[in-house]
Amino acid sequence: SLLKCCLKVGGIMNIPIGLSEVTSQWLEAVLQTTDKFHNVEIESVTCANIGEGTGIFGEIGLLTISYTNDTDLPASMVVKLPCSEPENLAVAQALGIYAREVSFYRSVGESATLRIPECFYSQLDDDGKFVLLIEDLSVDFYVGDQVVGATHEQVKCAIDALGEFHAQWWESSDLESLSWLPVPNDPAYMATVPQIYRAGLPVLSQEWADRVLPESIEVARLLEPRFEEIMEMFAEKPHTFAHADTRLDNLFFSRDNSAEVAFIDFQLCLKGKGINDLAYIIGNSVPREIAAANWESYIKQWITCLSTHGIEYRLEDAIRDYQQAVLYYTVGAMSLIASFDTGNERGAAMAEAYVTRIFNHVVDTKARVILE
Protein backbone atom coordinates (compact mmCIF):
# COMPACT_ATOMS: atom_id res chain seq x y z
CA SER A 1 0.00 0.00 0.00
CA LEU A 2 0.97 3.67 -0.36
CA LEU A 3 1.16 3.98 3.42
CA LYS A 4 3.61 1.11 3.72
CA CYS A 5 5.74 2.60 0.95
CA CYS A 6 5.90 5.84 2.92
CA LEU A 7 7.17 3.88 5.92
CA LYS A 8 10.09 2.53 3.91
CA VAL A 9 13.31 3.96 2.52
CA GLY A 10 15.07 1.86 -0.09
CA GLY A 11 12.88 -1.11 0.78
CA ILE A 12 13.82 -0.95 4.49
CA MET A 13 11.31 0.05 7.15
CA ASN A 14 11.95 3.45 8.67
CA ILE A 15 13.16 3.35 12.27
CA PRO A 16 11.16 5.78 14.43
CA ILE A 17 13.01 8.82 15.71
CA GLY A 18 11.73 8.77 19.24
CA LEU A 19 8.78 7.09 20.87
CA SER A 20 6.27 9.59 19.44
CA GLU A 21 6.83 8.07 15.98
CA VAL A 22 5.81 4.56 17.09
CA THR A 23 2.38 4.63 15.45
CA SER A 24 -0.16 1.88 14.80
CA GLN A 25 0.63 2.11 11.08
CA TRP A 26 4.35 1.66 11.62
CA LEU A 27 3.85 -1.15 14.12
CA GLU A 28 1.47 -3.05 11.84
CA ALA A 29 3.81 -2.68 8.87
CA VAL A 30 6.91 -4.00 10.66
CA LEU A 31 5.11 -6.83 12.45
CA GLN A 32 3.58 -8.04 9.18
CA THR A 33 7.12 -8.79 7.98
CA THR A 34 7.42 -11.52 10.65
CA ASP A 35 6.03 -15.05 10.66
CA LYS A 36 4.24 -14.73 13.98
CA PHE A 37 2.43 -11.50 13.13
CA HIS A 38 2.12 -11.71 9.33
CA ASN A 39 -1.71 -11.40 9.38
CA VAL A 40 -1.88 -8.78 12.10
CA GLU A 41 -4.20 -5.80 11.84
CA ILE A 42 -3.75 -3.12 14.47
CA GLU A 43 -6.57 -0.77 15.42
CA SER A 44 -4.62 1.43 17.83
CA VAL A 45 -1.46 1.60 19.92
CA THR A 46 -0.44 3.77 22.84
CA CYS A 47 3.16 4.22 23.92
CA ALA A 48 4.21 5.06 27.47
CA ASN A 49 7.82 6.02 28.19
CA ILE A 50 9.13 3.55 30.77
CA GLY A 51 12.83 4.32 30.35
CA GLU A 52 13.07 7.72 32.03
CA GLY A 53 15.76 7.60 34.67
CA THR A 54 16.77 4.04 33.80
CA GLY A 55 17.68 3.91 30.12
CA ILE A 56 21.02 5.69 29.67
CA PHE A 57 21.69 4.38 26.17
CA GLY A 58 18.15 3.91 24.87
CA GLU A 59 14.56 5.09 24.80
CA ILE A 60 12.16 2.44 26.06
CA GLY A 61 8.40 2.44 25.58
CA LEU A 62 5.58 0.15 26.68
CA LEU A 63 3.13 -0.39 23.83
CA THR A 64 -0.51 -1.20 24.60
CA ILE A 65 -2.01 -2.68 21.45
CA SER A 66 -5.59 -3.09 20.26
CA TYR A 67 -6.04 -5.45 17.32
CA THR A 68 -8.74 -5.17 14.65
CA ASN A 69 -9.00 -8.91 14.20
CA ASP A 70 -9.54 -11.51 16.91
CA THR A 71 -6.16 -12.71 18.01
CA ASP A 72 -4.25 -14.25 20.88
CA LEU A 73 -1.26 -12.05 20.15
CA PRO A 74 0.24 -10.06 23.04
CA ALA A 75 -1.74 -7.04 24.17
CA SER A 76 1.47 -5.27 25.08
CA MET A 77 5.12 -5.27 24.09
CA VAL A 78 8.20 -3.14 24.68
CA VAL A 79 9.89 -1.00 22.02
CA LYS A 80 13.53 0.00 22.35
CA LEU A 81 15.15 2.82 20.35
CA PRO A 82 18.45 4.72 20.47
CA CYS A 83 18.86 7.39 23.13
CA SER A 84 18.43 11.04 22.18
CA GLU A 85 21.08 12.65 24.43
CA PRO A 86 24.04 13.54 22.15
CA GLU A 87 26.82 12.61 24.62
CA ASN A 88 25.25 9.27 25.49
CA LEU A 89 24.56 8.56 21.81
CA ALA A 90 28.16 9.28 20.84
CA VAL A 91 29.44 6.72 23.37
CA ALA A 92 26.82 4.17 22.31
CA GLN A 93 27.82 4.46 18.66
CA ALA A 94 31.55 4.39 19.45
CA LEU A 95 31.14 1.11 21.31
CA GLY A 96 28.68 -0.42 18.81
CA ILE A 97 26.24 -1.37 21.53
CA TYR A 98 23.07 -1.20 19.44
CA ALA A 99 24.39 -3.70 16.90
CA ARG A 100 25.50 -5.89 19.78
CA GLU A 101 22.04 -6.15 21.32
CA VAL A 102 20.37 -6.86 17.98
CA SER A 103 23.00 -9.56 17.31
CA PHE A 104 22.37 -11.09 20.73
CA TYR A 105 18.67 -11.56 20.08
CA ARG A 106 19.25 -12.83 16.57
CA SER A 107 22.01 -15.36 17.25
CA VAL A 108 22.18 -16.18 20.96
CA GLY A 109 18.89 -15.37 22.63
CA GLU A 110 16.89 -18.47 21.74
CA SER A 111 19.57 -20.87 23.00
CA ALA A 112 20.45 -18.98 26.19
CA THR A 113 19.75 -20.58 29.56
CA LEU A 114 18.81 -17.13 30.84
CA ARG A 115 15.15 -16.19 30.84
CA ILE A 116 15.00 -13.26 28.45
CA PRO A 117 12.17 -11.47 26.64
CA GLU A 118 11.01 -12.97 23.37
CA CYS A 119 12.12 -10.76 20.48
CA PHE A 120 9.30 -10.09 18.01
CA TYR A 121 11.15 -7.79 15.60
CA SER A 122 14.61 -6.28 15.25
CA GLN A 123 16.19 -3.90 12.77
CA LEU A 124 19.60 -2.29 12.49
CA ASP A 125 20.48 0.45 10.01
CA ASP A 126 23.87 1.07 8.44
CA ASP A 127 24.21 4.28 10.45
CA GLY A 128 23.84 2.40 13.72
CA LYS A 129 20.19 3.19 14.47
CA PHE A 130 18.11 0.26 15.71
CA VAL A 131 14.73 -0.82 16.93
CA LEU A 132 13.70 -3.82 19.00
CA LEU A 133 10.17 -5.05 19.74
CA ILE A 134 10.30 -7.47 22.65
CA GLU A 135 8.06 -9.25 25.12
CA ASP A 136 6.54 -7.26 27.98
CA LEU A 137 7.96 -9.16 30.94
CA SER A 138 5.82 -7.21 33.42
CA VAL A 139 2.93 -9.57 32.71
CA ASP A 140 4.61 -12.32 34.76
CA PHE A 141 7.49 -10.49 36.45
CA TYR A 142 8.21 -7.31 38.37
CA VAL A 143 11.34 -5.26 37.74
CA GLY A 144 13.96 -4.65 40.37
CA ASP A 145 14.53 -1.15 41.69
CA GLN A 146 18.14 -0.07 41.77
CA VAL A 147 17.43 2.96 43.94
CA VAL A 148 15.91 0.78 46.68
CA GLY A 149 18.46 -1.99 46.12
CA ALA A 150 18.28 -5.76 45.93
CA THR A 151 17.30 -8.03 48.79
CA HIS A 152 19.53 -10.90 49.85
CA GLU A 153 17.15 -13.41 48.26
CA GLN A 154 17.00 -11.51 44.99
CA VAL A 155 20.80 -11.52 44.73
CA LYS A 156 20.95 -15.25 45.39
CA CYS A 157 18.36 -15.96 42.67
CA ALA A 158 20.26 -13.75 40.21
CA ILE A 159 23.55 -15.49 40.95
CA ASP A 160 22.05 -18.93 40.33
CA ALA A 161 20.72 -17.77 36.95
CA LEU A 162 24.02 -16.16 36.02
CA GLY A 163 25.99 -19.21 37.12
CA GLU A 164 24.01 -21.44 34.76
CA PHE A 165 24.47 -18.98 31.89
CA HIS A 166 28.19 -18.59 32.53
CA ALA A 167 28.62 -22.37 32.67
CA GLN A 168 26.81 -22.72 29.33
CA TRP A 169 29.43 -20.51 27.62
CA TRP A 170 32.49 -21.21 29.78
CA GLU A 171 35.62 -21.18 27.58
CA SER A 172 33.39 -22.33 24.72
CA SER A 173 34.69 -22.43 21.18
CA ASP A 174 31.32 -20.96 20.17
CA LEU A 175 32.38 -17.69 21.78
CA GLU A 176 35.00 -17.21 19.08
CA SER A 177 32.34 -17.47 16.37
CA LEU A 178 30.54 -14.43 17.80
CA SER A 179 32.56 -11.82 15.92
CA TRP A 180 30.21 -9.06 17.13
CA LEU A 181 30.94 -9.81 20.79
CA PRO A 182 33.96 -7.78 21.98
CA VAL A 183 36.42 -8.38 24.79
CA PRO A 184 36.73 -5.74 27.54
CA ASN A 185 40.09 -4.53 26.22
CA ASP A 186 38.82 -4.13 22.67
CA PRO A 187 40.49 -1.08 21.06
CA ALA A 188 37.20 0.85 21.10
CA TYR A 189 36.97 0.34 24.87
CA MET A 190 40.62 1.18 25.48
CA ALA A 191 40.18 4.42 23.52
CA THR A 192 36.96 5.44 25.27
CA VAL A 193 36.65 4.08 28.81
CA PRO A 194 39.80 5.53 30.47
CA GLN A 195 38.78 9.00 29.29
CA ILE A 196 35.40 8.56 30.97
CA TYR A 197 37.12 7.55 34.21
CA ARG A 198 39.54 10.47 34.17
CA ALA A 199 36.82 13.00 33.36
CA GLY A 200 34.93 11.93 36.46
CA LEU A 201 37.79 11.99 38.96
CA PRO A 202 37.83 15.78 39.54
CA VAL A 203 34.04 15.76 39.96
CA LEU A 204 34.30 12.93 42.48
CA SER A 205 36.96 14.75 44.49
CA GLN A 206 35.28 18.17 44.43
CA GLU A 207 31.56 17.41 44.53
CA TRP A 208 31.18 14.01 46.18
CA ALA A 209 33.56 14.24 49.14
CA ASP A 210 30.62 14.60 51.52
CA ARG A 211 28.97 11.41 50.21
CA VAL A 212 31.92 9.11 49.46
CA LEU A 213 34.44 7.75 51.98
CA PRO A 214 37.85 9.48 52.01
CA GLU A 215 39.54 6.12 51.41
CA SER A 216 37.39 5.63 48.30
CA ILE A 217 38.62 8.91 46.82
CA GLU A 218 42.17 7.96 47.73
CA VAL A 219 41.82 4.64 45.89
CA ALA A 220 40.22 6.41 42.93
CA ARG A 221 43.30 8.65 42.66
CA LEU A 222 45.63 5.66 42.90
CA LEU A 223 43.65 3.96 40.14
CA GLU A 224 43.71 6.91 37.73
CA PRO A 225 47.23 6.41 36.26
CA ARG A 226 46.77 2.62 36.18
CA PHE A 227 43.28 2.37 34.74
CA GLU A 228 44.45 0.79 31.48
CA GLU A 229 46.27 -1.85 33.54
CA ILE A 230 43.04 -2.65 35.39
CA MET A 231 41.22 -2.92 32.07
CA GLU A 232 43.75 -5.51 30.90
CA MET A 233 43.27 -7.49 34.13
CA PHE A 234 39.50 -7.21 33.75
CA ALA A 235 39.80 -8.70 30.24
CA GLU A 236 41.81 -11.77 31.25
CA LYS A 237 40.53 -15.32 30.93
CA PRO A 238 38.68 -17.54 31.73
CA HIS A 239 36.13 -16.15 29.29
CA THR A 240 32.44 -16.79 29.13
CA PHE A 241 29.45 -14.82 27.89
CA ALA A 242 29.10 -11.90 30.30
CA HIS A 243 25.90 -9.85 30.45
CA ALA A 244 28.04 -6.90 31.66
CA ASP A 245 25.11 -4.70 32.75
CA THR A 246 23.59 -6.65 35.62
CA ARG A 247 22.21 -3.66 37.50
CA LEU A 248 18.93 -4.23 39.25
CA ASP A 249 16.88 -2.20 36.75
CA ASN A 250 17.75 -4.90 34.19
CA LEU A 251 16.49 -7.82 36.30
CA PHE A 252 12.90 -9.05 36.60
CA PHE A 253 11.67 -11.29 39.39
CA SER A 254 8.79 -13.76 39.24
CA ARG A 255 5.39 -12.62 40.51
CA ASP A 256 4.55 -16.16 41.62
CA ASN A 257 7.37 -16.22 44.19
CA SER A 258 9.43 -18.69 42.20
CA ALA A 259 13.20 -18.28 41.96
CA GLU A 260 13.09 -17.48 38.24
CA VAL A 261 14.86 -14.28 37.21
CA ALA A 262 14.62 -12.69 33.77
CA PHE A 263 17.29 -10.43 32.27
CA ILE A 264 17.01 -7.56 29.80
CA ASP A 265 19.42 -5.13 28.11
CA PHE A 266 22.25 -6.87 26.29
CA GLN A 267 23.80 -3.74 24.80
CA LEU A 268 27.00 -4.11 26.81
CA CYS A 269 27.47 -7.89 26.68
CA LEU A 270 31.07 -9.12 26.38
CA LYS A 271 33.44 -12.06 26.18
CA GLY A 272 34.78 -11.78 29.68
CA LYS A 273 35.05 -13.22 33.16
CA GLY A 274 31.73 -14.33 34.57
CA ILE A 275 32.58 -13.04 38.00
CA ASN A 276 32.49 -9.53 36.56
CA ASP A 277 28.70 -9.85 36.41
CA LEU A 278 28.65 -10.60 40.15
CA ALA A 279 30.81 -7.60 40.99
CA TYR A 280 28.50 -5.38 38.96
CA ILE A 281 25.22 -6.35 40.58
CA ILE A 282 26.62 -6.62 44.11
CA GLY A 283 28.73 -3.50 43.80
CA ASN A 284 26.07 -1.11 42.53
CA SER A 285 22.64 -2.64 43.17
CA VAL A 286 22.86 -4.04 46.69
CA PRO A 287 22.55 -1.92 49.86
CA ARG A 288 25.92 -1.61 51.58
CA GLU A 289 24.99 -3.56 54.70
CA ILE A 290 23.93 -6.59 52.62
CA ALA A 291 26.82 -6.38 50.15
CA ALA A 292 29.51 -5.97 52.81
CA ALA A 293 28.25 -8.91 54.84
CA ASN A 294 27.64 -11.35 51.99
CA TRP A 295 29.88 -10.68 48.97
CA GLU A 296 32.22 -13.59 49.69
CA SER A 297 29.31 -15.98 50.27
CA TYR A 298 27.82 -14.87 46.94
CA ILE A 299 31.09 -15.74 45.21
CA LYS A 300 31.08 -19.17 46.88
CA GLN A 301 27.49 -19.75 45.73
CA TRP A 302 28.50 -18.95 42.14
CA ILE A 303 31.57 -21.23 42.34
CA THR A 304 29.33 -24.04 43.60
CA CYS A 305 27.01 -23.54 40.63
CA LEU A 306 29.96 -23.77 38.23
CA SER A 307 31.23 -26.90 39.93
CA THR A 308 27.97 -28.73 39.18
CA HIS A 309 28.96 -28.34 35.51
CA GLY A 310 32.50 -29.61 36.09
CA ILE A 311 34.07 -26.14 36.11
CA GLU A 312 36.72 -25.43 38.75
CA TYR A 313 37.47 -21.91 39.92
CA ARG A 314 39.61 -21.44 43.02
CA LEU A 315 38.11 -19.14 45.65
CA GLU A 316 41.30 -17.09 46.01
CA ASP A 317 41.37 -16.53 42.23
CA ALA A 318 37.70 -15.61 42.23
CA ILE A 319 38.15 -13.07 45.03
CA ARG A 320 41.08 -11.42 43.26
CA ASP A 321 39.16 -11.29 39.98
CA TYR A 322 36.19 -9.86 41.85
CA GLN A 323 38.33 -7.11 43.42
CA GLN A 324 39.69 -6.21 39.97
CA ALA A 325 36.14 -5.96 38.65
CA VAL A 326 35.05 -3.75 41.55
CA LEU A 327 37.87 -1.33 40.70
CA TYR A 328 36.96 -1.39 37.02
CA TYR A 329 33.28 -0.72 37.64
CA THR A 330 34.04 2.54 39.40
CA VAL A 331 34.12 3.89 35.83
CA GLY A 332 30.34 3.49 35.76
CA ALA A 333 30.15 5.88 38.68
CA MET A 334 32.48 8.31 36.91
CA SER A 335 30.29 8.22 33.80
CA LEU A 336 27.17 9.03 35.78
CA ILE A 337 28.65 12.00 37.63
CA ALA A 338 30.58 13.55 34.75
CA SER A 339 29.66 12.33 31.28
CA PHE A 340 26.04 11.34 30.88
CA ASP A 341 22.68 13.08 31.14
CA THR A 342 20.81 10.99 33.74
CA GLY A 343 17.46 12.35 32.57
CA ASN A 344 15.29 13.14 35.58
CA GLU A 345 15.00 12.93 39.38
CA ARG A 346 14.94 9.15 39.37
CA GLY A 347 18.00 9.12 37.14
CA ALA A 348 19.76 11.33 39.67
CA ALA A 349 18.70 9.03 42.52
CA MET A 350 19.98 6.02 40.57
CA ALA A 351 23.30 7.78 40.04
CA GLU A 352 23.52 8.57 43.76
CA ALA A 353 22.89 4.92 44.67
CA TYR A 354 25.38 3.61 42.12
CA VAL A 355 28.20 6.01 43.02
CA THR A 356 27.97 5.63 46.78
CA ARG A 357 27.55 1.84 46.66
CA ILE A 358 30.42 1.05 44.30
CA PHE A 359 32.87 3.28 46.14
CA ASN A 360 31.78 1.84 49.50
CA HIS A 361 32.31 -1.61 48.01
CA VAL A 362 35.85 -0.69 46.97
CA VAL A 363 36.58 -0.17 50.68
CA ASP A 364 34.55 -3.11 52.01
CA THR A 365 36.20 -5.64 49.66
CA LYS A 366 39.70 -4.21 50.23
CA ALA A 367 40.01 -3.89 46.47
CA ARG A 368 42.93 -1.48 46.80
CA VAL A 369 45.13 -4.54 47.39
CA ILE A 370 45.11 -4.96 43.59
CA LEU A 371 46.95 -1.65 43.31
CA GLU A 372 49.58 -2.41 45.96
Side-chain angles (χ1 to χ4, degrees), residues 271-348:
K271 288 176 212 168
K273 288 183 284 194
I275 201 161
N276 299 344
D277 281 344
L278 272 67
Y280 197 78
I281 185 172
I282 299 164
N284 73 50
S285 293
V286 179
R288 184 183 185 185
E289 60 275 13
I290 299 175
N294 295 286
W295 66 275
E296 287 189 70
S297 70
Y298 293 147
I299 293 174
K300 291 174 183 176
Q301 176 189 342
W302 177 75
I303 289 174
T304 298
C305 183
L306 295 180
S307 69
T308 63
H309 296 275
I311 298 166
E312 294 185 8
Y313 202 160
R314 295 193 314 160
L315 178 60
E316 52 267 43
D317 293 337
I319 288 175
R320 184 169 182 82
D321 290 345
Y322 185 94
Q323 291 167 325
Q324 292 169 0
V326 169
L327 289 177
Y328 173 81
Y329 279 127
T330 58
V331 74
M334 297 303 198
S335 71
L336 289 171
I337 64 177
S339 302
F340 296 139
D341 178 355
T342 52
N344 61 5
E345 287 186 11
R346 190 185 184 282

Side-chain angles (χ1 to χ4, degrees), residues 56-58 82-100 128 186 188-189 191-197 199 267-268 328 331-332 334-336 338-341:
I56 295 170
F57 287 127
C83 61
S84 56
E85 296 83 0
E87 289 182 340
N88 301 23
L89 183 61
V91 173
Q93 291 177 330
L95 298 180
I97 65 174
Y98 300 143
R100 207 181 312 177
D186 182 89
Y189 275 90
T192 305
V193 176
Q195 295 178 30
I196 295 172
Y197 183 88
Q267 292 182 341
L268 301 180
Y328 173 81
V331 74
M334 297 303 198
S335 71
L336 289 171
S339 302
F340 296 139
D341 178 355

Side-chain angles (χ1 to χ4, degrees), residues 101-115:
E101 184 161 42
V102 169
S103 296
F104 170 82
Y105 279 108
R106 288 179 176 176
S107 62
V108 172
E110 289 187 5
S111 64
T113 62
L114 285 183
R115 172 67 167 91

